[in-house]
Amino acid sequence: MPKKKLGPMNLYPLLPKTNCGECGPKTCMGFAVQLTERNLGIDQCPPIADPKYQVQLSRIRELLAPPVREVVIGTGPRKVRVGGELVMRRHELRYFNQTAIATLVSDDMLPDQVQAKVKETEAFRYPYIGSTLTLDAIAVRSVTGDPASFRNTVKTVREATELPLILWSFDPRVIAAGLEAAAGHRPLIYAANVENWQEMAGLARDAGCPLALFVPDDIRTIRSLAASVRAAGVEDLLLDVGCGFSESLPSTINDLTEIRTAAVNEGDSLLGYPIIGSPATLWEKRNSESDETIRWMESCLASMMVIRYVDLLMVRDASMWSILPLVVLRANLFNDPRKPVSVEPGLRTFGNPDPDRSPVLITSNFALTYYTVLADIEKLDCYLMVADTEGLSVDSAVAGRKLNAQKVADIILSTGIEGLARHRTLIIPGLAARLKGDIEDATGWDVMVGPRDSAGIPAFLKEKWEGKDHTPGWSYR
Amino acid sequence: MQGTDQEEVLKHLLRIISGGGSLELEGVTFSAEELSISLSDLSAIRAVTGEVPVPAVTEGIELLEWQPPRRTYPGKIGEVVLGSTRGDGGSRVKSVTIGGATTPAFHLFEGSEPHPPVVAGSVFDMVPPLPGPVKSSFGDAVEDPCAWAKAWVDRYGADLIDLDLISTDPYIKDTPVKRAVNLVEDLLQTVDVPLIIGGSGNPEKDAKLLPKVAEVCAGERILLSSATMDMWEPVAKAAQQYNHVALAWSPIDINQAKELNRKLLGYLPMDQIVMDPTSAALGYGLEYSFSVMERIRLAGLMGDRDLQCPQASGTANSWGAREAWKRDDYLGPREYRGPLWEATGALAFLLAGVDLFIMVHPGAARTVEDIVGWLVDGRNLPTFPEFIGVGK
């Protein structure tokens, strides 16, 4: 049954219609709009908690339930939420819970190796526009088949980190041992298949843990398995249909896309679960390839899987060069497309600029460009003019004529920078080099071409600016 | 890094991408079969299994009927031929067809893509500020655009070459039109693959340059790059007169892309337009490009005639990200990180619906070509109902 798109008019009749404003919006209609856009949750409406609205409340919850179930793995501040997605494509609204990424340890590793691997995963940090990109979980895999070694490895990991755990084995005895060592921490059990599912479902139900289902390349069977496991009392499921490169790649991309299409566009609740995938399995069929070979492939496969709806990924290592592109891609795709792309144009002042000695820089008002430049210059004494490039980066703005001499002349006037910087010298981004002559003609200012990347600004100033005479008359003008 | 080290890194990188040490670069040609064998050995990994074989029985599970989701789309992406062979009045050894899609990108369950996306190797008419890993892939060849293009074709098997005449910009070198056009003529003699020829992006100069380029390339069906909102008519007229294809560039803005196409469609038929909605770098706005590309593809499939042109991506923009080129021990070796950055951007755009990639690193280009090849092989798999069948 195709799922109808939820609109505020589906929700409004069920709300208390008190227009009390306690939720934020002034009216219940306004609240209904915010609910459909997922900016507010139903818990933000105090009146509806009244028992007389019980029927309405449960109907609202039903209507708001995302077509892809949200599943929580782990406990405490580091727990991760996966799934909970509403749309196939980010421009339709936004993606919500970013793909969680786990690294892998196995039970044949020595405790200090396990600890080192956990530490490496925790240490994976990359500052990125106002936040820090990190990895999210540790998968512990049984390769010995021995419950005791699995229990010990899980225990070692548990003691080393608060990150959520994934317990990886197809042997229910091994999983049971792992669950003992991770009791109370809500690990993900990976995985139930068509053979072991009854025992696995029992373990998941009794421990109150989420359970992944694994049926390679067979959507009909994994869907049927989901129905059976659900009937056995486990609701928090994840789906794994396998992944691979080479001749497996078409079915990988196809199955992932088809599952999410069925869930979101058709409202198929048996496929409406988060998807888990393990590019880490590329390491298994290794012949004589170098580590770098496999890392490269693993990263490419993982990136394609992030784009194609996978909610939880297992990679082998926290290898910076190969995993950084993946986590940045993830951050990009899960960025809220409704957020403005641009910042307010105008003048920004950093430190205590001096009218004769402090440089004047200019950049675009594309948020990513602006914040990147900001991070590079905020400790300097300088002025930064933010031009209204309609949210385009410098190179696109120059190519698209959104940054041109006239724009620069206008901003020089509107910011009153002439009264602040007597030297009348402007440093433009290297990517706008071709505007130099036009700007000089249009403004009467001197123009210096700065570096192509704002990371080079401090070095550029040291070399080309500091100690030079910038009082009026310094230049040929 | 010294020359020999650079060569070593590059060799190693191509070995990485081609899956193992079986590939030698110089003086040795390798056949496609050899390559695909080593690639599939590397990566034919279905899934987990190590411990438990895929079971033959489905114990206690009631196998439910399932109707897979199916959708048909009223529209179709146009087909564009780049390059013209001798038989068709040109001098190219082959032509390349792009576009023709009837589904969103790689929705293999809904249909196939008639023409796999392709990669063009990028060269410039002067040495631009190139990232180290790109420079070391070509060595001294970057000093000479023809040698650079030849390296792309002979060493790295490029299907198309993109030459950008950036030095013609009055604010860079102001290379005269005549000299730039001579270079284009030399390039036509040097390589025999289809060509993309771009100006500097300076609208006044491009308006003079690109018609001359179109003239000397008459009959070759080049992709003329690019028409923009404030300089489209000279490109449209030149493409019309000399039977080339126009690349319509817009700045991550679907409405502008549509408006520009509409203008061009006044001069040119659908099969002479490719659109470039701008490829922002991974980490620097990639998602805006990604979503505009997805929206364009979907709008075209839903029947919007003005958005049914195939899409091109200047994926080389990925190198604008400092994470791609910066030397930084914490971030790991840039010889691998940089090209992977470009490849990752390309894979995102591939899945958003791009038909033509313009790239600068041969390793990244190769990755995209391999992945496209594997995805396209899916067409030869058994038809859909069997391959999701239970008995598999």
Side-chain angles (χ1 to χ4, degrees):
Chain A
M1 207 33 95
K3 201 163 163 120
K4 280 225 180 76
K5 204 171 147 49
L6 183 70
M9 282 316 292
N10 303 104
L11 298 173
Y12 176 71
L14 301 165
L15 291 171
K17 302 185 202 65
T18 54
N19 294 330
C20 65
E22 285 187 66
C23 55
K26 288 193 180 70
T27 63
C28 291
M29 190 60 203
F31 183 54
V33 171
Q34 295 302 313
L35 283 177
T36 44
E37 305 217 328
R38 263 69 179 184
N39 294 325
L40 295 174
I42 189 62
D43 297 340
Q44 277 148 305
C45 172
I48 207 164
D50 189 313
K52 70 179 174 183
Y53 295 119
Q54 204 185 336
V55 177
Q56 286 88 335
L57 179 59
S58 72
R59 178 71 190 132
I60 287 174
R61 286 196 197 285
E62 210 175 288
L63 286 169
L64 287 175
V68 179
R69 186 181 176 88
E70 184 177 82
V71 173
V72 177
I73 302 166
T75 53
R78 306 292 293 270
K79 73 181 173 210
V80 293
R81 294 171 193 281
V82 295
E85 298 303 336
L86 291 167
V87 294
M88 287 281 289
R89 296 189 168 77
R90 58 188 294 283
H91 67 256
E92 296 169 50
L93 184 67
R94 63 166 299 189
Y95 292 156
F96 285 87
N97 294 314
Q98 69 170 9
T99 309
I101 300 173
T103 60
L104 199 55
V105 300
S106 53
D107 67 348
D108 59 344
M109 290 164 75
L110 298 170
D112 56 336
Q113 291 176 308
V114 170
Q115 284 155 358
K117 192 90 190 270
V118 169
K119 207 167 162 189
E120 186 187 272
T121 304
E122 297 253 27
F124 185 103
R125 298 174 71 79
Y126 188 72
Y128 179 70
I129 35 174
S131 66
T132 302
L133 307 181
T134 57
L135 302 179
D136 311 285
I138 305 278
V140 186
R141 182 174 186 186
S142 165
V143 297
T144 66
D146 172 30
S149 11
F150 192 65
R151 184 189 296 113
N152 288 339
T153 307
V154 172
K155 186 162 176 282
T156 306
V157 177
R158 272 286 317 127
E159 283 162 2
T161 182
E162 297 288 316
L163 288 174
L165 299 186
I166 299 165
L167 308 180
W168 179 343
S169 170
F170 292 101
D171 183 343
R173 292 175 311 129
V174 170
I175 291 294
L179 284 170
E180 281 167 34
H185 293 280
R186 202 179 157 79
L188 169 66
I189 299 171
Y190 179 92
N193 58 26
V194 290
E195 282 195 329
N196 68 16
W197 68 274
Q198 279 158 322
E199 286 162 284
M200 288 293 197
L203 287 168
R205 188 185 53 227
D206 296 346
C209 290
L211 175 64
L213 311 181
F214 176 65
V215 182
D217 290 349
D218 185 347
I219 298 177
R220 187 179 167 204
T221 301
I222 204 166
R223 187 175 176 276
S224 303
L225 181 59
S228 299
V229 172
R230 200 152 81 174
V234 185
E235 285 285 345
D236 284 338
L237 304 178
L238 284 85
L239 308 177
D240 186 349
V241 285
C243 65
F245 255 126
S246 186
E247 82 272 11
S248 302
L249 187 62
S251 57
T252 299
I253 296 303
N254 190 74
D255 290 355
L256 298 174
T257 310
E258 192 168 18
I259 287 175
R260 192 50 51 93
T261 305
V264 172
N265 290 352
E266 316 271 317
D268 185 341
S269 73
L270 289 174
L271 294 174
Y273 291 105
I275 305 174
I276 178 171
S278 50
T281 51
L282 286 179
W283 291 85
E284 283 169 30
K285 282 282 178 72
R286 173 178 188 162
N287 295 318
S288 56
E289 299 84 9
S290 64
D291 284 1
E292 288 83 358
T293 304
I294 317 271
R295 286 194 210 292
W296 179 289
M297 308 298 291
E298 186 187 37
S299 177
C300 288
L301 181 58
S303 285
M304 296 178 83
M305 292 169 78
V306 165
I307 297 162
R308 284 297 157 95
Y309 315 117
V310 169
D311 301 283
L312 173 52
L313 276 172
M314 296 189 279
V315 297
R316 204 186 72 158
D317 307 310
S319 142
M320 188 51 92
W321 72 264
S322 64
I323 300 303
L324 186 61
L326 172 67
V327 298
V328 171
L329 177 66
R330 171 181 73 164
N332 286 176
L333 294 177
F334 282 82
N335 185 22
D336 187 345
R338 299 169 300 177
K339 264 194 340 210
V341 202
S342 52
V343 298
E344 201 57 37
L347 183 70
R348 309 287 199 281
T349 306
F350 299 93
N352 297 302
D354 172 282
D356 294 321
R357 280 198 301 274
S358 296
V360 179
L361 307 154
I362 187 165
T363 191
S364 81
N365 77 329
F366 180 43
L368 289 156
T369 305
Y370 172 75
Y371 287 113
T372 306
V373 174
L374 188 76
D376 292 323
I377 66 166
E378 60 191 353
K379 296 203 175 71
L380 309 172
D381 295 320
C382 63
Y383 293 106
L384 176 68
M385 294 195 294
V386 182
D388 183 3
T389 58
E390 299 173 29
L392 288 182
S393 64
V394 172
D395 48 347
S396 299
V398 172
R401 264 59 89 183
K402 303 292 182 196
L403 183 61
N404 55 31
Q406 194 51 50
K407 274 258 165 83
V408 176
D410 291 347
I411 195 171
I412 284 178
L413 269 184
S414 67
T415 54
I417 187 73
E418 300 220 300
L420 297 168
R422 289 192 290 252
H423 52 70
R424 294 165 61 94
T425 303
L426 176 65
I427 300 173
I428 63 173
L431 292 170
R434 74 160 76 122
L435 301 180
K436 176 176 156 69
D438 279 359
I439 296 174
E440 288 179 335
D441 294 345
T443 65
W445 279 47
D446 287 327
V447 172
M448 292 171 74
V449 177
R452 293 168 64 89
D453 186 296
S454 61
I457 290 174
F460 172 86
L461 293 177
K462 198 153 256 152
E463 194 185 320
K464 302 262 171 71
W465 181 270
E466 283 170 24
K468 305 270 191 319
D469 184 0
H470 297 294
T471 49
W474 159 73
S475 74
Y476 63 90
R477 270 174 208 282
Chain B
M1 207 182 277
Q2 294 306 303
T4 48
D5 289 350
Q6 291 173 354
E7 292 246 312
E8 277 312 303
V9 166
L10 180 69
K11 277 189 194 176
H12 187 48
L13 187 58
L14 269 141
R15 236 176 270 134
I16 283 178
I17 295 155
S18 57
S22 59
L23 180 67
E24 283 301 322
L25 279 180
E26 273 153 335
V28 180
T29 48
F30 43 86
S31 75
E33 293 105 282
E34 279 164 3
L35 200 56
S36 67
I37 287 165
S38 84
L39 290 169
S40 59
D41 283 351
L42 155 73
S43 49
I45 294 164
R46 264 290 121 114
V48 187
T49 60
E51 305 153 53
V52 181
V54 176
V57 289
T58 53
E59 229 173 299
I61 299 169
E62 186 198 347
L63 208 50
L64 305 174
E65 284 305 317
W66 182 55
Q67 196 59 50
R70 284 294 182 284
R71 188 168 172 187
T72 52
Y73 302 85
K76 177 176 184 288
I77 305 303
E79 291 183 347
V80 172
V81 178
L82 298 174
S84 183
T85 58
R86 285 200 179 82
D88 291 322
S91 65
R92 305 297 88 194
V93 71
K94 63 174 177 184
S95 62
V96 170
T97 306
I98 58 171
T102 55
T103 69
F106 298 102
H107 273 220
L108 301 169
F109 60 99
E110 290 177 326
S112 60
E113 309 213 1
H115 305 293
V118 293
V119 181
S122 210
V123 304
F124 301 88
D125 68 340
M126 58 179 267
V127 186
L130 281 177
V134 174
K135 221 177 284 175
S136 59
S137 305
F138 293 97
D140 294 340
V142 300
E143 308 285 340
D144 168 6
C146 288
W148 193 348
K150 207 166 154 40
W152 262 116
V153 175
D154 295 348
R155 283 169 72 179
Y156 302 121
D159 287 325
L160 303 94
I161 290 294
D162 162 63
L163 167 65
D164 289 320
L165 300 164
I166 53 174
S167 79
T168 59
D169 191 318
Y171 298 105
I172 297 179
K173 283 190 179 172
D174 203 12
T175 300
V177 169
K178 195 166 175 353
R179 203 185 323 150
V181 165
N182 287 344
L183 172 60
V184 173
E185 287 175 310
D186 288 348
L187 184 67
L188 278 168
Q189 300 298 318
T190 309
V191 296
D192 53 13
V193 297
L195 298 182
I196 304 167
I197 307 290
S200 66
N202 179 291
E204 291 82 28
K205 189 68 175 274
D206 281 1
K208 294 180 204 140
L209 171 70
L210 294 177
K212 288 289 176 198
V213 168
E215 190 183 332
V216 299
C217 295
E220 299 287 0
R221 204 171 176 87
I222 63 166
L223 179 59
L224 209 48
S225 162
S226 50
T228 58
M229 277 301 274
D230 58 0
M231 202 286 287
W232 58 273
E233 211 168 8
V235 176
K237 283 181 174 167
Q240 185 189 42
Q241 187 177 352
Y242 300 104
N243 195 25
H244 296 305
V245 179
L247 184 67
W249 183 87
S250 53
I252 320 189
D253 179 338
I254 191 169
N255 297 319
Q256 222 184 91
K258 191 174 155 83
E259 201 183 328
L260 179 56
N261 281 357
R262 209 179 287 150
K263 288 180 192 293
L264 294 174
L265 283 166
Y267 285 83
L268 298 169
M270 190 68 100
D271 66 0
Q272 279 177 263
I273 305 171
V274 174
M275 57 200 296
D276 175 359
T278 301
S279 298
L282 174 61
Y284 296 83
L286 171 136
E287 66 272 37
Y288 301 104
S289 295
F290 177 87
S291 284
V292 165
M293 289 166 180
E294 272 199 329
R295 289 172 62 197
I296 286 173
R297 175 77 164 251
L298 289 172
L301 293 173
M302 295 316 289
D304 187 336
R305 293 269 305 153
D306 301 330
L307 292 171
Q308 285 176 341
C309 309
Q311 297 187 70
S313 160
T315 324
N317 291 346
S318 297
W319 291 90
R322 61 179 63 159
E323 289 84 352
W325 54 262
K326 193 166 66 171
R327 281 189 199 284
D328 184 335
D329 289 343
Y330 181 70
L331 300 184
R334 68 171 186 169
E335 283 69 22
Y336 305 144
R337 178 178 13 108
L340 184 57
W341 208 266
E342 189 182 13
T344 303
L347 293 178
F349 301 140
L350 178 71
L351 294 178
V354 162
D355 301 279
L356 167 63
F357 295 90
I358 301 170
M359 302 181 71
V360 291
H361 194 284
R366 176 60 183 281
T367 297
V368 174
E369 286 164 350
D370 283 349
I371 284 174
V372 166
W374 292 331
L375 283 169
V376 166
D377 275 345
R379 291 170 202 163
N380 299 325
L381 289 177
T383 50
F384 188 68
E386 283 122 51
F387 97 73
I388 60 143
V390 183
K392 190 163 184 295

